[in-house]
Amino acid sequence: MRLRTVLCSTTTVVCALALLTGCGGGSTTAATSGDKPLVGVDYPRSDTDFWNSYIKYTPQFAKELGLDLKTTNSQNDVAKLTANAQTFIGQGVKGVAMAPQDTAAIAPTLAQMEAKKIPVVTVDTRPDSGKVYMVVRADNRAYGEKACRFLGTKLAGKGKVVMLQGGLDSINGRDRTEAFNDCMKKNYPGIRVFGEATNWDGAISAQKLQTDLTAHPDIKGVYMQSSFALAGTLQVLKQRGLLVDPKNKKHVFVVSNDGIPEELKSIAAGKIDATVSQPADLYAKYALYYLKAAIDGKKFKPGKTDHDSTIIQVRPGLLEDQLSAPLVTADGGTYGGVPSVKSDDKALWGNNLG
């Protein structure tokens, strides 16, 4: 179709319009096809360094991906998460990212979102039931396996360790616990594991570690399933005169999960020995990436991705993008066949927070 140029009488703007159209009384309306899609992101909590880092990254990646953003914080409460989902529905969002900490109780909310054709991406956790567009998560069984391999190597297959579990109502707590126990039984049967449920609570973890060390002063290893336990663990070890250089015979080997800046600094200082870097930056990026893909009608299937991860099918109709989460140590060595990266590696997100 030919275009003609029309000079609007009430303005000095030259309008390029299709044949047979005019200025319509001297006014124009902006097209809506270029508007940014509105999405909702519920933050699960803001009382840990890891999740505060995730919160920091989220608006950055929303801007990069061309998304408008609404956010809520469910504060580790599934009832608040349910209410926040209702808020998002009322705001007309086109998709929702959430990180339900109770992975069983979220099912009714997911069913409601599905009925309203609002795609959901879950971050860090996988729902026990219900449909979501994509799960963005690292392999949490690998977390437990890597911690086991590191401690098993450092203790030469003998001794006692404490595992400060997260919440067993979470798939993450269950995966890390089961994998750690399975690995120890199979590869290091000479190591005794004291499993302590803490519900991701730092005060509870410190109290239980204190109790275990009183009953078993020969404990030589601690596996913290998240950095929530870092401050309390260091305090307990210091009080007992055990926060010493790794070369000292009194040293208790500590492995964490998350890869927050304080963990990396503690590894460099010899206060703890390793962590598994859970990618807070990539969780934020790919949660929003998959929401945008869902809005655009894209489909995915199991296999390798272009961002160093693997999509797996965990059950019919449910896909999970398992992002890379390396073991981090002071020396970047290999432990029980598991390679690690050095704590000062600039590729680690924990070394790149401004």
Side-chain angles (χ1 to χ4, degrees):
M1 181 179 290
R2 290 189 305 108
L3 295 179
R4 70 178 183 181
T5 300
V6 181
L7 184 63
C8 299
S9 59
T10 58
T11 73
T12 59
V13 179
V14 177
C15 307
L17 302 172
L19 185 64
L20 300 179
T21 59
C23 285
S27 65
T28 59
T29 302
T32 59
S33 60
D35 289 351
K36 297 178 181 178
L38 178 64
V39 300
V41 175
D42 181 79
Y43 302 137
R45 55 199 303 170
S46 55
D47 58 349
T48 70
D49 288 343
F50 176 82
W51 285 113
N52 283 332
S53 298
Y54 171 79
I55 289 169
K56 179 178 179 180
Y57 282 117
T58 296
Q60 170 188 327
F61 287 117
K63 183 177 180 180
E64 289 183 13
L65 290 164
L67 297 170
D68 274 342
L69 187 64
K70 294 287 187 179
T71 64
T72 55
N73 191 321
S74 53
Q75 299 175 334
N76 203 25
D77 185 331
V78 71
K80 289 181 179 178
L81 177 53
T82 298
N84 292 344
Q86 302 302 317
T87 297
F88 287 144
I89 292 171
Q91 291 172 331
V93 300
K94 302 300 182 184
V96 172
M98 62 174 68
Q101 303 296 284
D102 187 331
T103 52
I106 195 59
T109 299
L110 295 179
Q112 183 182 24
M113 303 298 274
E114 182 183 5
K116 294 185 175 297
K117 301 187 184 305
I118 299 174
V120 174
V121 171
T122 62
V123 182
D124 181 53
T125 62
R126 178 203 310 148
D128 295 355
S129 62
K131 184 177 180 181
V132 300
Y133 180 79
M134 182 68 74
V135 177
V136 174
R137 189 170 177 252
D139 183 350
N140 278 249
R141 287 194 63 86
Y143 290 4
E145 175 85 15
K146 291 173 181 178
C148 162
R149 294 286 184 172
F150 181 85
L151 288 175
T153 300
K154 285 294 187 180
L155 273 60
K158 298 178 181 179
K160 300 175 182 178
V161 302
V162 177
M163 172 170 52
L164 298 174
Q165 303 162 332
L168 297 183
D169 58 351
S170 161
I171 186 66
N172 289 356
R174 296 196 298 272
D175 274 359
R176 298 175 198 184
T177 296
E178 291 169 3
F180 186 82
N181 284 332
D182 290 348
C183 171
M184 281 294 183
K185 289 176 183 177
K186 179 180 179 180
N187 300 289
Y188 310 104
I191 293 180
R192 183 179 177 185
V193 178
F194 299 97
E196 300 290 4
T198 70
N199 196 34
W200 310 111
D201 187 298
I204 293 174
S205 70
Q207 181 270 318
K208 290 193 172 183
L209 177 59
Q210 184 77 269
T211 299
D212 284 336
L213 284 168
T214 299
H216 304 276
D218 56 343
I219 284 171
K220 298 302 292 182
V222 178
Y223 170 37
M224 308 183 302
Q225 289 191 358
S226 169
S227 59
F228 74 90
L230 179 63
T233 295
L234 294 179
Q235 182 179 17
V236 169
L237 294 178
K238 183 176 182 180
Q239 288 172 348
R240 302 185 72 90
L242 300 175
L243 193 62
V244 295
D245 186 85
K247 294 180 180 179
N248 190 310
K249 291 183 178 180
K250 295 176 64 177
H251 182 77
V252 176
F253 292 95
V254 179
V255 184
S256 188
N257 276 159
D258 279 345
I260 63 171
E262 194 59 35
E263 286 176 319
L264 303 184
K265 293 175 185 176
S266 294
I267 292 172
K271 294 180 179 179
I272 71 171
D273 303 273
T275 189
V276 179
S277 180
Q278 185 169 223
D281 54 343
L282 299 185
Y283 278 5
K285 178 177 181 177
Y286 286 102
L288 295 169
Y289 167 86
Y290 283 115
L291 278 187
K292 190 172 188 298
I295 294 167
D296 293 342
K298 295 181 179 179
K299 304 291 184 183
F300 295 89
K301 60 183 180 180
K304 295 289 186 181
T305 71
D306 61 359
H307 49 271
D308 191 30
S309 68
T310 301
I311 295 176
I312 65 168
Q313 179 173 287
V314 293
R315 58 176 180 264
L318 184 64
L319 297 178
E320 178 173 302
D321 187 357
Q322 295 191 329
L323 302 176
S324 176
L327 178 67
V328 181
T329 63
D331 63 1
T334 297
Y335 295 88
V338 177
S340 68
V341 299
K342 290 185 177 182
S343 59
D344 60 358
D345 192 318
K346 296 303 181 184
L348 296 170
W349 68 267
N351 287 324
N352 289 300
L353 284 176

